[in-house]
Amino acid sequence: MSSNIYFNTRGKFTIRRSMINIGTRLHHSIAPKHALKTARNLLLTPVRSTSNSDDPEGLLRSTHLTSEGRLNTYQIGNGPVWILSHGWSGSASQFFPLMEHIAAQGFTALAYDHPAHGQSEGRHAHLPAFVQAFDELIDNVDDVVGIIAHSMGSASVLESRHPKVDALPLLLIAPVLNYVDNLYDMVGKSGYSMKLFGAMITHIEDKYEYSLDTINPYQKLISRQHDTTIVHDKRDRFADFSTSESAANTTNNINLIATKGQGHGRVIKCDSTMAAFDSLI
């Protein structure tokens, strides 16, 4: 159900949406603890994406232990390191073509599966867990010279609290910059009880000491001093292109490359993304 919520672009009223709203509100009223547990299972459980293709030549698989569980990592190449961070219900395998391109330019491409994604440990995921895992990973990787992130992975990189990040160039692919607004909008459109959703958010905020009110990837992006390149399709149905356009128009540190016909996923391995990486090095 989580993907239906986070990637639902339909906004009109339906009987199904109305029934979800009534059912989740009633559940929360009658059995609040059980409703909260159910909400976590429904809303915080991503679809595990796996690759059906063979591993690229020279791919090294490993694991990295974090407080969010054991993360699976994937590495190609030699030289200074570019870290790659995927989005919700994605996996590191989405980056394999781009990683091969990075390695061919004399760098190491290091991607990883976020908690509860791909082959990493965990059942539930959310932005604070993304940020925590990323910060612990980058803290233990030497010679990092840049970061590439897709979709919600972009939000987690921009929300990172690690000092390394501010001094590195970023390549953001179809970034979700209006994360909080997008999250509430999608949950609202699904019909899910907003009161129950709010209770789940409060539980996460208390556990991670991470207030939702402080999450603002857009503001953190336009406040950055280092270069950022964004590759974003104009007709992306899941991440708002106009928000990326607004950010690029706000500061000279952001270069926006607009694509057509690449959507939210194919854009990861399109020619424009490969060229964007080349421009950053």
Side-chain angles (χ1 to χ4, degrees), residues 177-251:
L177 299 177
N178 54 341
Y179 174 79
V180 175
D181 290 342
N182 188 68
L183 179 62
Y184 273 97
D185 184 51
M186 292 300 101
V187 174
K189 286 178 180 178
S190 77
Y192 211 83
S193 166
M194 295 305 294
K195 184 177 181 180
L196 177 52
F197 176 69
M200 186 190 71
I201 291 296
T202 298
H203 176 80
I204 296 171
E205 289 179 325
D206 292 345
K207 179 179 179 180
Y208 285 83
E209 299 182 349
Y210 200 137
S211 173
L212 192 69
D213 291 340
T214 67
I215 297 175
N216 193 339
Y218 178 88
Q219 185 60 46
K220 292 180 173 68
L221 171 61
I222 63 175
S223 299
R224 274 176 50 85
Q225 300 301 311
H226 217 86
D227 291 340
T228 301
T229 295
I230 299 175
V231 181
H232 205 152
D233 197 85
K234 288 185 174 182
R235 295 188 177 182
D236 189 324
R237 295 188 300 119
F238 305 122
D240 183 39
F241 172 81
S242 66
T243 308
S244 291
E245 189 174 41
S246 173
N249 290 334
T250 301
T251 172

Side-chain angles (χ1 to χ4, degrees), residues 2-3 6-7 44-52 71-72 74 84-96 111-123 125-126 130 149-154 156 173 176 238 264-266 268:
S2 60
S3 288
Y6 294 117
F7 300 111
L44 303 181
T45 304
V47 175
R48 284 195 182 262
S49 174
T50 56
S51 174
N52 295 323
L71 305 183
N72 268 49
Y74 310 80
L84 298 96
S85 171
H86 67 76
W88 183 263
S89 288
S91 71
S93 62
Q94 293 174 283
F95 289 123
F96 284 172
Y112 65 101
D113 293 328
H114 276 291
H117 287 74
Q119 298 183 37
S120 289
E121 291 182 344
R123 180 178 181 183
H126 39 69
F130 269 41
H150 174 243
S151 192
M152 182 173 154
S154 298
S156 65
I173 307 168
V176 177
F238 305 122
H264 189 68
R266 292 188 304 276
I268 296 174

Side-chain angles (χ1 to χ4, degrees), residues 19 24 30 36 40 47 52 57 68 88 93-94 99 131 136 149 154-155 159 161 180 186 206 231 235 239 259 272 279:
M19 293 302 294
T24 52
I30 295 173
L36 184 60
R40 290 198 296 269
V47 175
N52 295 323
E57 183 177 353
E68 297 299 321
W88 183 263
S93 62
Q94 293 174 283
M99 291 171 68
V131 173
E136 291 182 33
S154 298
E159 288 293 322
R161 302 172 179 183
V180 175
M186 292 300 101
D206 292 345
V231 181
R235 295 188 177 182
T259 65
S272 294
S279 70

Side-chain angles (χ1 to χ4, degrees), residues 1 5 16-36 38-40 42-43 187-188 190-199:
M1 185 174 177
I5 287 178
R16 179 177 180 272
R17 189 171 293 119
S18 178
M19 293 302 294
I20 289 173
N21 182 261
I22 293 171
T24 52
R25 286 192 290 114
L26 185 61
H27 189 190
H28 191 209
S29 176
I30 295 173
K33 290 184 178 180
H34 186 266
L36 184 60
T38 302
R40 290 198 296 269
L42 288 174
L43 303 181
V187 174
S190 77
Y192 211 83
S193 166
M194 295 305 294
K195 184 177 181 180
L196 177 52
F197 176 69

